Amino acid sequence: MKFYKYLYIGDTVTNPQKVKWKLKHHAGVQVYVITAATSADQLEIFHSAYLKQRYYRYHPPVIVGIASDYGEAVQIIMKITQECLENTGNCNLKEYLKRKAKEQL
């Protein structure tokens, strides 16, 4: 698994380091992850069970956020969108996240 440098974590996620470890090692954990879409879309929300499929072992997504439930994942995307709109004036989320990671080195 690849994690975004400034990972967004939901308020109700307890022990994020343990959750990250379980995601990296494909262990069972009941969370939702927000990933950068490989297609033209911006961001996608997956249940962590999808990441246990063989495809994701060879094509790991970039995880931008972790949430305990779907509603919290939507709130995190809303937060990212609000930050993007305030800082850039548009809603190109993938480009904003790339630029944010490069600027804050």
Side-chain angles (χ1 to χ4, degrees), residues 12 14 19-21 32-33 56 61 76 88 90 92 99 103:
T12 60
T14 58
V19 171
K20 284 174 61 176
W21 185 89
Y32 283 83
V33 294
Y56 293 110
I76 290 172
T88 65
N90 63 29
N92 190 350
R99 191 170 3 154
E103 287 178 359

Side-chain angles (χ1 to χ4, degrees), residues 29-46:
V29 62
Q30 298 297 318
V31 294
Y32 283 83
V33 294
I34 301 164
T35 64
T38 56
S39 63
D41 294 335
Q42 296 291 319
L43 301 175
E44 298 176 329
I45 300 173
F46 289 107

Side-chain angles (χ1 to χ4, degrees), residues 11-62:
D11 296 333
T12 60
V13 174
T14 58
N15 200 351
Q17 294 300 336
K18 185 176 182 180
V19 171
K20 284 174 61 176
W21 185 89
K22 286 187 172 191
L23 287 171
K24 282 183 185 179
H25 293 88
H26 304 283
V29 62
Q30 298 297 318
V31 294
Y32 283 83
V33 294
I34 301 164
T35 64
T38 56
S39 63
D41 294 335
Q42 296 291 319
L43 301 175
E44 298 176 329
I45 300 173
F46 289 107
H47 189 275
S48 60
Y50 285 107
L51 300 177
K52 292 175 80 173
Q53 296 176 16
R54 182 176 296 172
Y55 173 82
Y56 293 110
R57 289 182 188 241
Y58 300 109
H59 302 92
V62 176

